[in-house]
Amino acid sequence: MYQISPSILSADFMNLERDIHNIEENGSDMIHVDVMDGLFVPNITVGFPVIQALRKITDLPLDVHLMIDRPGRYVAKFVASGADYVTIHAEADTLENNLEALQTIRALGAKAGVSLKPGTPAEAVLPYLPYCDIILLMTVEPGFGGQKFMAEVMPKLKQIRAWLDEAGSDCLLSVDGGVDRSTAPLCKKNGATVLVAGTAYFKDPKRADFVKFIQE
Ligand code: DX5
Ligand code: ZN
């Protein structure tokens, strides 16, 4: 009923192939890849070569979360590298440029997404709704794994869930940051359909069980 997208930000990069196969074997629905540029967020992670490499070793959808400034410059290359979902941040460029980026992603055959930082109001998502297949709400400040879940984002999640339901939209609604066994039920209750988990997934001694817990 719910989908889990483990974030490889918490994977062992020395053993990334092993960890990808582990994500598959444990029954996960997709793989969340956090791309950071050191400008939009104060951290730098991975880019095209890693996504191209992942594409070669897995058939699971690659859920690519771009925490980069003016993402429209690069979305086509992320799709070409093998991303299935390309999610950009509403705060990363003007509305006009972001809408163009989302249309480019779809035109190239991938799923388009928009993400909101914790402090960005729910209303900011409205102009994007006709152009996106996934909405990703940050429940931590983007940039790092292992941060504390911000429950104050839940009213925004609930509001966006209501708008999607009113519109009869099948847009996925994802939550990212601090999702674990204690916070996941809150996300589900407020309308999330996809749960991203980095630290909680990789630290869990019973990962397959964690995946089932999130999915049911
Ligand atoms: C944070 C990233 C998240 C991060 C989540 O900026 O977008 O995807 O990996 O990590 P945890 O689950 O550890 O909060
Ligand atoms: Zn993320």
Side-chain angles (χ1 to χ4, degrees):
M1 170 152 194
Y2 298 92
Q3 298 191 68
I4 179 168
S5 188
S7 166
I8 60 159
L9 193 58
S10 301
D12 174 0
F13 279 81
M14 287 291 283
N15 292 284
L16 194 51
E17 182 167 12
R18 179 202 66 193
D19 281 0
I20 293 297
H21 292 317
N22 176 265
I23 287 172
E24 291 175 332
E25 285 154 16
N26 288 327
S28 298
D29 301 284
M30 31 187 161
I31 298 173
H32 188 84
V33 185
D34 289 302
V35 176
M36 307 186 190
D37 68 350
L39 288 170
F40 183 72
V41 289
N43 196 7
I44 299 178
T45 54
V46 301
F48 307 118
V50 171
I51 291 165
Q52 288 157 8
L54 294 180
R55 184 71 293 157
K56 288 185 192 145
I57 60 160
T58 185
D59 290 328
L60 277 183
L62 297 176
D63 167 31
V64 176
H65 177 194
L66 300 183
M67 285 159 277
I68 69 174
D69 195 41
R70 292 180 289 143
R73 299 175 293 165
Y74 297 110
V75 290
K77 191 154 180 196
F78 279 105
V79 177
S81 297
D84 295 283
Y85 290 84
V86 179
T87 296
I88 62 171
H89 263 269
E91 307 87 355
D93 204 340
T94 63
L95 175 62
E96 189 188 0
N97 289 347
N98 283 341
L99 291 180
E100 194 181 319
L102 295 178
Q103 286 169 284
T104 301
I105 296 164
R106 276 186 169 174
L108 294 170
K111 304 278 189 196
V114 69
S115 180
L116 303 183
K117 295 189 345 180
T120 302
E123 288 71 21
V125 87
L126 291 173
Y128 293 101
L129 291 185
Y131 302 94
C132 60
D133 306 292
I134 186 166
I135 295 167
L136 184 142
L137 297 185
M138 295 302 305
T139 39
V140 297
E141 285 302 332
F144 300 92
Q147 302 182 77
K148 189 177 173 290
F149 180 83
M150 296 169 70
E152 57 267 41
V153 178
M154 293 301 101
K156 177 164 69 176
L157 174 60
K158 198 174 174 183
Q159 174 65 77
I160 294 175
R161 172 80 271 150
W163 286 333
L164 292 176
D165 289 349
E166 274 167 35
S169 169
D170 59 0
C171 184
L172 299 177
L173 186 49
S174 177
V175 167
D176 183 9
V179 174
D180 60 19
R181 285 178 189 262
S182 68
T183 58
L186 203 56
C187 300
K188 293 179 187 176
K189 193 180 121 206
N190 285 286
T193 53
V194 179
L195 285 80
V196 175
T199 307
Y201 172 81
F202 282 101
K203 283 211 169 144
D204 203 297
K206 292 182 179 168
R207 291 179 187 168
D209 182 74
F210 179 74
V211 168
K212 282 202 192 74
F213 176 83
I214 298 291
Q215 288 170 332
E216 67 192 20

